[in-house]
Amino acid sequence: MRVLIVEDEKRLAATLRDLMELSGYTADVSNDGESGLDNALSSIYDVIIMDVMLPRLSGFDAVRRLRAAGVSTPVLMLTARSEVSDKVEGLDCGADYYLTKPFEPRELTACVRALCRRQPELRSTDCLHCGDLQLDKASFTLSCGERSVRLSRKEYDLMELLMLNQHQIITKEMLLVKIWGYESDAEDNNVEVYISFLRKKLDHLRSRVKIKTIRMVGYCLEVPEDRPAEK
Ligand code: CA
């Protein structure tokens, strides 16, 4: 799960990033409204935390443009303002929730969790299923029948993305920005290395699910049709 934090106060942005990472999310930070909007438009985020008073473009305008562009990523507005009119404007412009600074860290993380749950593909919470595989979000464990392996953070993120989009091809570019982030200098090689780690783990689990390479494009999961158990 990937969270975008749009906040110009550097210390607060760092605190928010730490909070999100402690809660198991991957977090990116944008320090002004314009770059925040650019990042948000990529649709790679599961939740966006957006300040209101931002250089170059206000949080209200950023969310307005985001919604006008058809991006429905949940937005949590975070601001020092507490006037009722600001809250109304925040919600009217397309934000999903409004939290006033100073906030309780626990309240913020609860809000982010609640917003994540609103997205249908993420709603079924603790475990993801795909073919004979089960991915446990709390323990980062991938299992198949009696066998299970623990995944590293990146392996987990990759597997989660593949499982959430099991009928689609995921491009290498998508994997790079979604898992390594915009600021990373990771390259296609990094993706290939992690895909090969995951394939080894799938072999070890004796899963019938395979990660298929679509040449020059990306990857998708190959999930065999259910068939009666062999005797
Ligand atoms: Ca600000």
Side-chain angles (χ1 to χ4, degrees):
M1 301 277 269
R2 199 166 195 101
V3 178
L4 174 66
I5 298 160
V6 190
E7 171 60 66
D8 58 322
E9 285 170 55
K10 299 252 162 77
R11 274 181 59 188
L12 178 58
T15 305
L16 287 169
R17 187 202 285 260
D18 289 348
L19 254 179
M20 288 299 103
E21 287 179 352
L22 275 173
S23 307
Y25 302 98
T26 307
D28 293 326
V29 173
S30 297
N31 292 125
D32 67 76
E34 230 166 67
S35 69
L37 176 63
D38 276 351
N39 283 345
L41 284 169
S42 68
S43 293
I44 64 165
Y45 295 98
D46 301 297
V47 170
I48 298 165
I49 299 176
M50 177 81 74
D51 186 25
V52 171
M53 301 292 279
L54 286 165
R56 301 175 72 187
L57 186 67
S58 80
F60 291 144
D61 288 335
V63 176
R64 239 176 243 124
R65 290 198 205 170
L66 192 65
R67 296 298 184 239
V71 176
S72 60
T73 312
V75 173
L76 170 60
M77 282 282 208
L78 199 61
T79 178
R81 301 186 188 186
S82 57
E83 295 294 320
V84 171
S85 62
D86 288 334
K87 292 190 184 178
V88 170
E89 183 171 3
L91 296 172
D92 278 351
C93 76
D96 298 87
Y97 200 82
Y98 202 110
L99 209 57
T100 312
K101 298 176 197 170
F103 55 87
E104 273 287 321
R106 277 184 310 174
E107 189 180 5
L108 177 92
T109 49
C111 283
V112 171
R113 271 200 307 278
L115 291 176
C116 283
R117 278 199 295 272
R118 281 196 200 168
Q119 293 173 278
E121 76 271 29
L122 303 172
R123 208 174 274 151
S124 61
T125 62
D126 299 338
C127 273
L128 284 174
H129 297 268
C130 175
D132 53 13
L133 287 176
Q134 183 173 320
L135 183 66
D136 186 298
K137 294 185 176 185
S139 63
F140 284 21
T141 310
L142 184 65
S143 40
C144 173
E146 299 288 292
R147 296 174 162 244
S148 64
V149 280
R150 252 196 81 116
L151 302 183
S152 71
R153 184 59 211 252
K154 291 261 185 296
E155 290 168 344
Y156 174 87
D157 288 345
L158 256 177
M159 199 62 212
E160 184 188 54
L161 197 61
L162 288 165
M163 287 173 87
L164 285 171
N165 300 280
Q166 52 187 275
H167 305 296
Q168 295 166 39
I169 296 170
I170 312 212
T171 63
K172 282 187 183 174
E173 291 72 34
M174 178 75 165
L175 288 172
L176 275 172
V177 287
K178 184 112 182 164
I179 292 166
W180 278 267
Y182 279 106
E183 288 158 32
S184 151
D185 47 13
E187 293 171 2
D188 286 7
N189 274 348
N190 299 65
V191 177
E192 285 156 22
V193 167
Y194 277 92
I195 291 283
S196 77
F197 290 162
L198 276 179
R199 282 182 173 142
K200 287 200 182 95
K201 293 194 169 174
L202 290 176
D203 281 349
H204 168 77
L205 292 172
R206 298 185 189 155
S207 170
R208 294 169 61 222
V209 176
K210 307 276 177 231
I211 301 173
K212 201 171 158 189
T213 303
I214 314 293
R215 244 175 75 80
M216 314 295 283
V217 184
Y219 302 94
C220 70
L221 283 187
E222 193 173 63
V223 186
E225 295 291 312
D226 278 337
R227 61 179 182 203
E230 288 163 39
K231 298 220 168 136

